[in-house]
Amino acid sequence: MTPRTATQSPAEGRTGAAGPDGGPPRLPGARGPLSASVLDALRTGTPSEPAVPEPDVAAADPWGEDLQLALYVLYELHYRGFAGVSDALEWDPDLLRLRARLEFRMLTALRAALDDVPATVDAAFGPLLEEPADPEGSLSHFLETEGELWQLREYAALRSLYHLKEADPHAWVLPRLTGEAKSAMAAIEYDEFGAGRAERVHARLFADLMTGLGLDPAYGGYLEQAPAAVLATVNLMSLFGLHRELRGALVGHFAWVEVTSSPGSRRLAGAMRRCGAGAAAEHFYAEHVEADAVHEQVVRHGVVGGLLRSEPGLEADVAFGCAATGLLEDRLADRLRARWTAGASALRRPLPGE
């Protein structure tokens, strides 16, 4: 594939609005009957939950494009919403009932795929604290040693669905924590949100990375191009964040991200440097090497440790959140590597010029 250079201007016609701090994105196109029903309801402003029969939900692939897009769109109503869609629909009972059915389908599939979840936090996180002896399956190792600029650009476009809302889903857990866990979680979130400086917000830094790579930094700008495996990783943290009963799983998700971030960011910074991606692209990951090394200690001892000292009954949920995050990240990595090693785009529609 022939990549665009990192200095070319962003492509026009993306799903989002201009800039990461701009208005809400536009609605995407449907990928099947479930997402079509949701999108029609949002466009007309007249939801009707029975428009999606239960057999259609039960028969849907829980990891497929249709169900994952439908969930993503419903979750986005709790973030920035969509252009032309009434904010009042965020709490529409018909849409919430449908979302609950889709969530049940996803959670059931997750639990079925994780029938051997470690029973303790130590068992769940222990393997993450050591560099793998065989990094063959690691996406960051692949990008560091073999990745090309066009692959790094695709990676950034896909990860933008997470990084341009980085830390937002985790903030939902703050009212559900107490004492040490709340204080430690708030300290990490403070850093994620720029420590009082708008230009240091991590989502802003990622937008700068995208601009440096010649990508459109619009919030939600690459939703149309993102396959289900990407949507599932973002949906997981929204699912955990929006449900108080899953607060332990959300802490497990957050801890997995922070524990794995520093070594992965070091490798990605090296990949950006090796491919000449530019200072802004390298800086985003270099920033995370040191910051997340500190965050790892705070999250393990303050957030996870503090939560389990106050609510020891949530240990299995924390372990589940960690395992579920690892499962979906591994599935995404497998898809990206398979496409790239075949010389094909990992996006549903290649970036312009590729």
Side-chain angles (χ1 to χ4, degrees), residues 14-16 25-26 28 31 65 68-69 72 76 79 82 154-169 203 206 210 216-235 237-238 332 347-348:
R14 298 281 76 81
T15 307
R26 297 188 294 274
R31 302 185 191 177
E65 301 289 345
Q68 288 298 323
L69 179 64
Y72 186 97
E76 191 58 41
Y79 293 100
F82 292 96
E154 288 200 347
Y155 182 77
L158 294 175
R159 281 301 196 185
S160 68
L161 297 185
Y162 166 76
H163 282 301
L164 294 183
K165 60 162 56 84
E166 184 174 352
D168 290 348
F206 194 81
M210 297 182 73
D216 184 352
Y219 177 91
Y222 290 96
L223 176 56
E224 290 279 21
Q225 286 94 329
V230 173
L231 303 185
T233 63
V234 183
N235 286 340
M237 61 182 181
S238 299
L332 173 59
L347 280 64
R348 296 179 69 244

Side-chain angles (χ1 to χ4, degrees), residues 337-353:
R337 285 193 56 151
R339 297 289 295 173
W340 288 339
T341 54
S345 172
L347 280 64
R348 296 179 69 244
R349 185 175 67 249
L351 296 173

Side-chain angles (χ1 to χ4, degrees), residues 164-179:
L164 294 183
K165 60 162 56 84
E166 184 174 352
D168 290 348
H170 300 127
W172 280 321
V173 82
L174 285 169
R176 297 158 183 173
L177 301 177
T178 60

Side-chain angles (χ1 to χ4, degrees), residues 227-257:
V230 173
L231 303 185
T233 63
V234 183
N235 286 340
L236 183 71
M237 61 182 181
S238 299
L239 169 63
F240 290 164
L242 282 166
H243 291 273
R244 185 179 180 277
E245 66 175 336
L246 295 173
R247 63 194 180 280
L250 189 281
V251 166
H253 177 282
F254 184 69
W256 188 99
V257 171

Side-chain angles (χ1 to χ4, degrees), residues 10-352:
E12 298 179 352
R14 298 281 76 81
T15 307
D21 301 318
R26 297 188 294 274
L27 286 170
R31 302 185 191 177
L34 297 179
S35 53
S37 179
V38 170
L39 292 165
D40 286 346
L42 297 186
R43 288 190 184 96
T44 62
T46 55
S48 178
E49 193 265 347
V52 183
E54 183 57 38
D56 288 356
V57 176
D61 178 358
W63 309 118
E65 301 289 345
D66 191 26
L67 186 143
Q68 288 298 323
L69 179 64
L71 258 183
Y72 186 97
V73 169
L74 289 169
Y75 284 143
E76 191 58 41
L77 298 178
H78 299 287
Y79 293 100
R80 299 195 189 183
F82 292 96
V85 174
S86 171
D87 290 343
L89 292 179
E90 178 184 5
W91 299 109
D92 180 86
D94 287 331
L95 293 177
L96 292 176
R97 278 191 291 269
L98 174 58
R99 196 190 84 193
R101 292 158 61 197
L102 301 179
E103 288 175 330
F104 179 79
R105 187 86 174 94
M106 181 175 174
L107 265 177
T108 301
L110 262 179
R111 296 191 186 282
L114 294 169
D115 56 358
D116 59 347
V117 176
T120 68
V121 164
D122 287 344
F125 286 97
L128 302 178
L129 301 177
E130 301 177 2
E131 284 285 280
D134 178 13
E136 181 66 26
S138 166
L139 189 62
S140 60
H141 275 101
F142 170 81
L143 290 171
E144 179 186 33
T145 59
E146 303 178 43
E148 300 177 23
L149 183 58
W150 68 269
Q151 294 165 339
L152 292 174
R153 295 182 70 245
E154 288 200 347
Y155 182 77
L158 294 175
R159 281 301 196 185
S160 68
L161 297 185
Y162 166 76
H163 282 301
L164 294 183
K165 60 162 56 84
E166 184 174 352
D168 290 348
H170 300 127
W172 280 321
V173 82
L174 285 169
R176 297 158 183 173
L177 301 177
T178 60
E180 182 183 4
K182 180 191 284 283
S183 178
M185 187 75 182
I188 298 174
E189 289 282 273
Y190 180 68
D191 285 348
E192 299 285 346
F193 289 127
R197 296 171 58 188
E199 73 277 9
R200 302 291 301 167
V201 173
H202 285 192
R204 176 71 258 176
L205 296 180
F206 194 81
D208 294 341
L209 172 152
M210 297 182 73
T211 300
L213 288 172
L215 298 169
D216 184 352
Y219 177 91
Y222 290 96
L223 176 56
E224 290 279 21
Q225 286 94 329
V230 173
L231 303 185
T233 63
V234 183
N235 286 340
L236 183 71
M237 61 182 181
S238 299
L239 169 63
F240 290 164
L242 282 166
H243 291 273
R244 185 179 180 277
E245 66 175 336
L246 295 173
R247 63 194 180 280
L250 189 281
V251 166
H253 177 282
F254 184 69
W256 188 99
V257 171
E258 295 299 328
V259 167
T260 62
S261 177
S262 185
S265 293
R266 174 178 51 78
R267 291 188 286 269
L268 289 169
M272 295 292 178
R273 181 166 54 252
R274 180 177 60 80
C275 292
E282 184 181 342
H283 174 69
F284 175 82
Y285 290 108
E287 170 82 5
H288 281 67
V289 173
E290 181 176 351
D292 288 346
V294 175
H295 290 174
E296 175 199 332
Q297 298 300 314
V298 178
V299 75
R300 286 173 56 204
H301 301 293
V303 182
V304 175
L307 175 66
L308 296 185
R309 281 187 284 275
S310 63
E311 297 188 87
L314 293 181
E315 182 163 14
D317 289 348
V318 175
F320 169 70
C322 171
T325 306
L327 172 71
L328 296 192
E329 290 292 337
D330 286 346
R331 287 184 172 182
L332 173 59
D334 289 346
R335 185 191 191 280
L336 297 185
R337 285 193 56 151
R339 297 289 295 173
W340 288 339
T341 54
S345 172
L347 280 64
R348 296 179 69 244
R349 185 175 67 249
L351 296 173

